[in-house]
Amino acid sequence: MNILLGANAVSAVASIAFALVGGIRPAALSESGTPTSGERFYGWMYATRGVPLGVAALVAPLAWPGASAALVLCAAAAAQVGDAVIGVTTRKTTMIAGASLLTAIHIATAVTTA
Protein backbone atom coordinates (compact mmCIF):
# COMPACT_ATOMS: atom_id res chain seq x y z
CA MET A 1 0.00 0.00 0.00
CA ASN A 2 2.79 2.45 0.88
CA ILE A 3 4.54 1.71 -2.42
CA LEU A 4 1.32 2.47 -4.30
CA LEU A 5 0.83 5.73 -2.37
CA GLY A 6 4.42 6.65 -3.20
CA ALA A 7 3.92 5.85 -6.87
CA ASN A 8 0.73 7.91 -6.88
CA ALA A 9 2.56 10.83 -5.27
CA VAL A 10 5.35 10.67 -7.86
CA SER A 11 2.74 10.44 -10.64
CA ALA A 12 0.86 13.46 -9.32
CA VAL A 13 4.06 15.52 -9.04
CA ALA A 14 5.03 14.54 -12.60
CA SER A 15 1.59 15.56 -13.81
CA ILE A 16 1.91 18.92 -12.05
CA ALA A 17 5.37 19.45 -13.55
CA PHE A 18 4.18 18.75 -17.09
CA ALA A 19 1.19 21.04 -16.60
CA LEU A 20 3.50 23.84 -15.49
CA VAL A 21 5.83 23.23 -18.43
CA GLY A 22 2.79 23.36 -20.73
CA GLY A 23 1.88 26.76 -19.34
CA ILE A 24 5.35 28.27 -19.10
CA ARG A 25 7.03 26.71 -22.15
CA PRO A 26 4.33 25.24 -24.42
CA ALA A 27 6.79 24.71 -27.27
CA ALA A 28 8.63 22.17 -25.10
CA LEU A 29 5.58 19.91 -25.22
CA SER A 30 4.36 20.71 -28.73
CA GLU A 31 7.87 20.46 -30.19
CA SER A 32 7.33 23.59 -32.26
CA GLY A 33 10.07 26.16 -32.72
CA THR A 34 8.29 29.27 -31.55
CA PRO A 35 4.95 28.91 -29.81
CA THR A 36 2.00 30.70 -31.32
CA SER A 37 -0.40 32.70 -29.22
CA GLY A 38 -2.81 29.79 -29.53
CA GLU A 39 -0.23 27.35 -28.13
CA ARG A 40 0.44 29.68 -25.20
CA PHE A 41 -3.31 30.04 -24.58
CA TYR A 42 -3.94 26.29 -24.60
CA GLY A 43 -0.78 25.68 -22.58
CA TRP A 44 -2.15 27.86 -19.79
CA MET A 45 -5.57 26.21 -20.13
CA TYR A 46 -3.88 22.84 -19.64
CA ALA A 47 -1.96 24.16 -16.63
CA THR A 48 -5.07 25.57 -14.97
CA ARG A 49 -6.64 22.11 -15.16
CA GLY A 50 -3.56 20.03 -14.55
CA VAL A 51 -2.05 21.74 -11.53
CA PRO A 52 -5.13 21.68 -9.25
CA LEU A 53 -6.05 18.16 -10.35
CA GLY A 54 -2.49 16.99 -9.76
CA VAL A 55 -2.42 18.57 -6.30
CA ALA A 56 -5.77 16.95 -5.48
CA ALA A 57 -4.49 13.54 -6.67
CA LEU A 58 -1.41 14.01 -4.51
CA VAL A 59 -3.22 15.09 -1.34
CA ALA A 60 -6.53 13.18 -1.44
CA PRO A 61 -5.28 9.65 -0.68
CA LEU A 62 -3.25 10.94 2.24
CA ALA A 63 -5.78 13.39 3.69
CA TRP A 64 -9.12 11.68 2.96
CA PRO A 65 -8.68 7.96 2.34
CA GLY A 66 -11.90 6.35 1.25
CA ALA A 67 -14.60 7.30 -1.20
CA SER A 68 -13.54 10.95 -1.46
CA ALA A 69 -9.99 10.04 -2.43
CA ALA A 70 -11.26 7.42 -4.89
CA LEU A 71 -13.46 10.01 -6.57
CA VAL A 72 -10.58 12.49 -6.94
CA LEU A 73 -8.27 9.77 -8.24
CA CYS A 74 -10.86 8.60 -10.77
CA ALA A 75 -11.16 12.18 -12.03
CA ALA A 76 -7.36 12.39 -12.33
CA ALA A 77 -7.33 9.04 -14.15
CA ALA A 78 -10.02 10.28 -16.57
CA ALA A 79 -7.89 13.32 -17.39
CA GLN A 80 -4.93 11.01 -18.04
CA VAL A 81 -7.06 8.86 -20.35
CA GLY A 82 -7.82 12.04 -22.28
CA ASP A 83 -4.12 12.83 -22.47
CA ALA A 84 -3.40 9.30 -23.73
CA VAL A 85 -6.05 9.69 -26.45
CA ILE A 86 -4.45 12.97 -27.50
CA GLY A 87 -1.13 11.12 -27.61
CA VAL A 88 -2.65 8.47 -29.87
CA THR A 89 -4.11 11.04 -32.26
CA THR A 90 -0.81 12.96 -32.42
CA ARG A 91 1.33 9.80 -32.49
CA LYS A 92 3.38 10.78 -29.43
CA THR A 93 4.39 7.48 -27.89
CA THR A 94 5.87 9.06 -24.77
CA MET A 95 2.57 10.82 -24.10
CA ILE A 96 0.64 7.60 -24.61
CA ALA A 97 2.94 5.62 -22.30
CA GLY A 98 3.16 8.26 -19.59
CA ALA A 99 -0.54 9.02 -19.45
CA SER A 100 -1.42 5.30 -19.55
CA LEU A 101 0.94 4.57 -16.67
CA LEU A 102 -0.47 7.44 -14.61
CA THR A 103 -4.00 6.24 -15.35
CA ALA A 104 -3.16 2.78 -14.06
CA ILE A 105 -1.48 4.13 -10.92
CA HIS A 106 -4.37 6.49 -10.11
CA ILE A 107 -6.96 3.73 -10.63
CA ALA A 108 -4.99 1.20 -8.55
CA THR A 109 -4.63 3.76 -5.75
CA ALA A 110 -8.34 4.58 -5.95
CA VAL A 111 -9.26 0.91 -5.62
CA THR A 112 -6.96 0.32 -2.65
CA THR A 113 -7.95 3.50 -0.77
CA ALA A 114 -11.71 3.14 -1.27
Side-chain angles (χ1 to χ4, degrees):
M1 175 68 164
N2 287 337
I3 292 173
L4 192 53
L5 286 173
N8 186 73
V10 169
S11 298
V13 170
S15 182
I16 293 166
F18 275 98
L20 289 171
V21 169
I24 297 166
R25 298 201 53 224
L29 298 181
S30 68
E31 300 173 2
S32 63
T34 304
T36 65
S37 62
E39 282 179 299
R40 287 189 296 277
F41 174 76
Y42 283 104
W44 280 115
M45 284 183 57
Y46 173 62
T48 59
R49 184 252 323 159
V51 171
L53 194 53
V55 170
L58 174 65
V59 172
L62 304 172
W64 315 291
S68 297
L71 179 63
V72 169
L73 290 168
C74 286
Q80 292 299 334
V81 168
D83 288 346
V85 169
I86 292 168
V88 168
T89 61
T90 58
R91 295 186 174 109
K92 293 190 179 207
T93 56
T94 55
M95 188 173 184
I96 298 165
S100 297
L101 177 62
L102 269 62
T103 298
I105 291 170
H106 288 325
I107 292 294
T109 307
V111 168
T112 59
T113 61

